[in-house]
Amino acid sequence: MNNLTMKLKITDAISGQSLFVTLDDNQSYAEALHNHTKEFISVPATHMRLWLVGNKSSNLELKDIYRICGAIQAVFGDSLVWDITSASPFPEDPQDIDGYLLLNGK
């Protein structure tokens, strides 16, 4: 497995709050998500959507996606839709974001 470092922007559609979480292989993804978001959102979340920004410089592999999705489902709830996009769905955000997680959206 490659040494993955991923910057994820998490937004709660109900409160409008956002935060950035960096996931890496030094800590379990679920633990990192829980530690950074426990004050941020009440769980379980609904209507979760994950966009992963795939580009030529990304070292993200399919097994990494499954690990990330499993961690998100373990922390926030079990309903998750994900997609890989070639560009950021939010161009106003910094360019170093590797993924976006929308919680409680439609």
Side-chain angles (χ1 to χ4, degrees):
M1 177 168 291
N2 56 16
N3 190 7
L4 177 70
T5 300
M6 178 180 188
K7 186 172 182 182
L8 187 65
K9 180 180 179 181
I10 303 173
T11 301
D12 180 1
I14 292 174
S15 69
Q17 295 181 44
S18 294
L19 61 87
F20 296 94
V21 175
T22 300
L23 303 177
D24 61 37
D25 290 333
N26 295 324
Q27 182 178 28
S28 88
Y29 296 163
E31 185 179 345
L33 287 168
H34 175 73
N35 289 343
H36 286 91
T37 62
K38 60 186 170 188
E39 307 287 326
F40 174 67
I41 187 168
S42 59
V43 292
T46 58
H47 304 287
M48 297 186 299
R49 185 164 183 93
L50 174 65
W51 291 278
L52 300 168
V53 180
N55 55 45
K56 292 181 180 179
S57 65
S58 175
N59 62 350
L60 192 63
E61 296 179 359
L62 189 56
K63 56 188 161 190
D64 299 320
I65 294 171
Y66 284 117
R67 285 182 56 211
I68 292 165
C69 290
I72 290 168
Q73 290 173 310
V75 172
F76 298 113
D78 61 2
S79 175
L80 173 68
V81 175
W82 63 271
D83 197 3
I84 298 174
T85 180
S86 61
S88 168
F90 305 99
E92 67 277 3
D93 283 341
Q95 296 299 308
D96 65 341
I97 298 174
D98 301 303
Y100 295 85
L101 177 61
L102 178 64
L103 305 173
N104 301 311
K106 294 273 178 170

